[in-house]
Amino acid sequence: MAGVWRCMLPVVVLMCVCLWGSTEAVGGAKSRPRPQRRPPKKPKVDPIDLTPPAQNIDIQQMTGTWYLLNTASKCSYLINHGTQVEATVMTLTHSSDQTLLVSTKTRRNHQCWEILQVYSATPTPGKLTLKGGHSELDTKIVIGETDYNSYAIMLYQKLGQITMKLYGRSVDNLSEPMLTKFEQLAEKQGLGLAYLFPFPTYSHCGVVDQHHVINCVPTC
């Protein structure tokens, strides 16, 4: 008898499976399909949040001159014209109202230009905002790594697209460990070596005449 039961067990299991999978109940009446629960949605994570800001960031120590040494980005302009980038220098000034006044100088068509902007502080130290014409056009900024004296790695996110920039206090102190650290942080954002664009370390702009100053304060 035990042997017969062992032979019948697979058939019983199969019948149970077929019955539960059928939409016909006994007597031909249709049973209601069981409602399926939707899997919970994963919380949306901003790409810029993958790199937290440096701990205990001191905005005051970020002031002064920074030379742009390298950029990691999938920006179409850089992908198409990455070999034509011009030397760029940024100067940060700390304002009393918890903002950073930003002056960026670069060359366009052999002419030096200066762009004036404001980075506003946020409740999180090391996170800043560059206001756009609308809130969805704001640029989120994170100071990812810095020692204040030689290098700073900054992340910029606008419309979900990330750009990372490596700045140096001097054009002569681009050390291998500094570049390696930048490449590792860029890799976390899916920005491999193909998306790295080094900037010239010579021929930076000095004083720019007022006719070539673009004032983006408060916004552009």
Side-chain angles (χ1 to χ4, degrees):
M1 185 69 181
V4 175
W5 173 244
R6 280 196 294 269
C7 292
M8 290 297 296
L9 183 59
V11 179
V12 173
V13 172
L14 180 61
M15 288 180 62
C16 289
V17 171
C18 291
L19 285 173
W20 280 110
S22 173
T23 57
E24 295 290 331
V26 178
K30 292 185 178 181
S31 62
R32 294 181 180 179
R34 292 187 173 187
Q36 295 183 351
R37 292 183 179 180
R38 293 183 179 180
K41 291 184 178 180
K42 295 182 179 180
K44 187 177 180 181
V45 178
D46 260 349
I48 200 168
D49 292 334
L50 296 176
T51 303
Q55 292 186 353
N56 304 317
I57 195 72
D58 185 350
I59 289 295
Q60 184 62 45
Q61 292 193 60
M62 288 296 297
T63 59
T65 300
W66 293 96
Y67 296 92
L68 181 57
L69 304 175
N70 211 320
T71 294
S73 179
K74 293 182 180 180
C75 166
S76 58
Y77 178 84
L78 286 175
I79 291 174
N80 295 322
H81 306 283
T83 59
Q84 303 172 21
V85 293
E86 296 282 359
T88 301
V89 59
M90 174 179 70
T91 302
L92 302 179
T93 305
H94 192 205
S95 179
S96 59
D97 58 351
Q98 296 301 308
T99 61
L100 278 176
L101 305 180
V102 186
S103 164
T104 304
K105 295 178 182 177
T106 190
R107 190 175 278 100
R108 177 74 171 170
N109 296 329
H110 308 290
Q111 172 64 52
C112 282
W113 290 83
E114 181 177 14
I115 303 169
L116 302 178
Q117 297 171 308
V118 172
Y119 292 173
S120 301
T122 71
T124 304
K127 288 189 175 184
L128 306 162
T129 302
L130 173 62
K131 299 290 186 182
H134 303 282
S135 59
E136 62 268 19
L137 298 179
D138 288 352
T139 300
K140 296 180 179 179
I141 304 167
V142 166
I143 303 172
E145 293 267 356
T146 187
D147 64 356
Y148 304 109
N149 298 316
S150 60
Y151 80 99
I153 297 174
M154 300 181 66
L155 293 85
Y156 300 78
Q157 176 178 293
K158 183 176 182 179
L159 298 175
Q161 184 175 7
I162 286 283
T163 293
M164 295 181 61
K165 296 183 180 182
L166 172 62
Y167 289 96
R169 287 294 193 186
S170 166
V171 296
D172 301 320
N173 64 352
L174 182 57
S175 66
E176 193 64 30
M178 182 196 308
L179 185 58
T180 299
K181 183 175 293 187
F182 178 70
E183 291 174 353
Q184 290 173 345
L185 289 176
E187 185 68 35
K188 288 183 179 180
Q189 297 288 349
L191 301 170
L193 296 177
Y195 299 104
L196 296 184
F197 304 94
F199 274 62
T201 56
Y202 55 87
S203 191
H204 291 85
C205 293
V207 177
V208 177
D209 67 82
Q210 61 179 356
H211 300 294
H212 293 92
V213 175
I214 302 174
N215 191 347
C216 290
V217 179
T219 61
C220 267

